[in-house]
């Protein structure tokens, strides 16, 4: 299974890095992270970096290169709104010390796996910091999303769609309903949005159906109109 495969990769990392590795987030889409014991910072984490380089030479580059952080640095970094996602610290929650989630359509086979010190806690009610970061993320997203999904962007169409849809849905849920719904797993995020905004469920379903059509031009005009309207509503609610 996919979870077994991810656990096998984790075991390789643990053998290579030893007990200094306390957790990790392997993200096929955005940014991965490896969490080291704070003591690893004493010599600049020279040995863990060397071990990681040897493993990369043997296995090849991962889907996304990991940022290497101490446990203390992870506690701060994981709460930052990376790429307009203020709830990233809640992603990939599992029942034990690890968890695996799928990005969903339009990115089949794309996953995020977390374990150990990087495993998230259960979702709390959004606190003042999360809401403030949500408003900041929304302001940034409203400035940049049109370029991110345009033909001038270096992003793939599937990546751009995931980015625009997931951030828009997650931020509106957070700022208008106070619902902490992480952005990576797009399918449950759409379901939660439809439950919270039933009057808009049909429009979202129609947009999704159009986005998944294989024939004809991509419905970028419809995506633009829908995203712009959603972000305007989120901004009104977040004032």
């Amino acid at each position: 299974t996919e979870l077994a495969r991810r656990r096998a990769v984790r075991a390789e990392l643990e053998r290579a890095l030893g007990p200094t590795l306390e957790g990790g987030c392997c993200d096929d889409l955005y940014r991965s992270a490896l969490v080291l014991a704070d003591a690893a910072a004493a010599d600049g984490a020279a040995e863990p970096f060397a071990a990681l380089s040897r493993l990369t030479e043997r296995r090849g580059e991962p889907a996304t290169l990991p940022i290497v952080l101490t446990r203390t640095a992870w506690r701060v970094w994981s709460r930052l709104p990376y790429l307009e996602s203020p709830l990233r610290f809640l992603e990939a929650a599992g029942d034990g010390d690890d968890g695996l989630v799928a990005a969903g359509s339009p990115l089949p086979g794309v996953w995020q796996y977390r374990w150990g010190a990087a495993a998230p806690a259960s979702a709390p009610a959004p606190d003042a910091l999360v809401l403030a970061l949500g408003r900041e993320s929304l302001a940034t997203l409203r400035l940049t999303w049109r370029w991110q999904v345009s033909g001038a962007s270096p992003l793939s169409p599937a990546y751009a769609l995931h980015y625009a849809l997931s951030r828009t849905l997650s931020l509106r849920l957070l700022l208008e309903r106070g619902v902490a719904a992480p952005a990576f797993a797009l399918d449950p995020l759409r379901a939660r949005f439809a439950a919270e905004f039933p009057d808009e469920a049909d429009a979202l379903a129609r947009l999704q159906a159009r986005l998944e059509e294989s024939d004809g031009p991509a419905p970028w005009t419809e995506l633009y109109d829908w995203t712009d309207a959603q972000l305007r509503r989120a901004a009104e609610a977040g004032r």
Side-chain angles (χ1 to χ4, degrees):
T1 65
E2 186 63 32
L3 183 57
R5 192 175 77 82
R6 300 290 166 150
R7 286 172 172 168
V9 173
R10 166 186 171 179
E12 282 195 81
L13 287 166
E14 290 172 340
R15 285 193 296 271
L17 299 176
T20 191
L21 179 64
E22 297 190 348
C25 170
C26 294
D27 189 319
D28 295 344
L29 190 58
Y30 295 106
R31 170 63 75 179
S32 297
L34 296 176
V35 182
L36 306 183
D38 285 340
D43 64 350
E47 179 52 35
F49 275 114
L52 188 59
S53 294
R54 291 191 294 270
L55 180 62
T56 301
E57 289 175 2
R58 188 168 71 250
R59 296 192 77 255
E61 298 284 359
T64 59
L65 292 176
I67 182 172
V68 179
L69 301 161
T70 62
R71 181 185 280 260
T72 297
W74 166 260
R75 291 194 188 104
V76 176
W77 186 84
S78 63
R79 293 300 300 265
L80 298 177
Y82 178 75
L83 285 178
E84 295 70 68
S85 179
L87 299 169
R88 183 171 165 81
F89 69 100
L90 297 176
E91 290 172 351
D95 295 329
D97 82 329
D98 65 351
L100 178 72
V101 294
S105 57
L107 289 162
V110 173
W111 304 84
Q112 185 189 110
Y113 173 66
R114 291 195 187 205
W115 77 92
S122 58
D127 57 20
L129 175 60
V130 168
L131 292 172
L133 292 175
R135 290 188 288 270
E136 178 184 291
S137 296
L138 176 63
T140 303
L141 185 62
R142 293 188 73 193
L143 288 173
T144 63
W145 74 269
R146 292 175 180 82
W147 180 83
Q148 297 279 29
V149 303
S150 73
S153 170
L155 303 177
S156 71
Y159 184 111
L161 285 175
H162 186 280
Y163 170 81
L165 289 172
S166 65
R167 272 56 180 172
T168 300
L169 295 170
S170 182
L171 287 171
R172 188 161 176 220
L173 282 166
L174 176 65
L175 296 174
E176 191 164 339
R177 291 289 192 265
V179 171
F184 187 85
L186 192 53
D187 294 340
L189 181 60
R190 278 194 296 258
R192 185 61 188 268
F193 183 91
E196 293 290 334
F197 300 100
D199 292 346
E200 301 180 45
D202 288 346
L204 177 59
R206 285 194 299 272
L207 176 64
Q208 184 62 31
R210 287 280 289 120
L211 293 173
E212 292 177 353
E213 289 179 1
S214 58
D215 298 326
W220 293 110
T221 300
E222 294 160 62
L223 177 67
Y224 271 55
D225 290 345
W226 181 87
T227 302
D228 180 66
Q230 293 297 322
L231 294 180
R232 287 177 183 274
R233 292 171 187 143
E236 293 170 0
R239 287 175 182 166

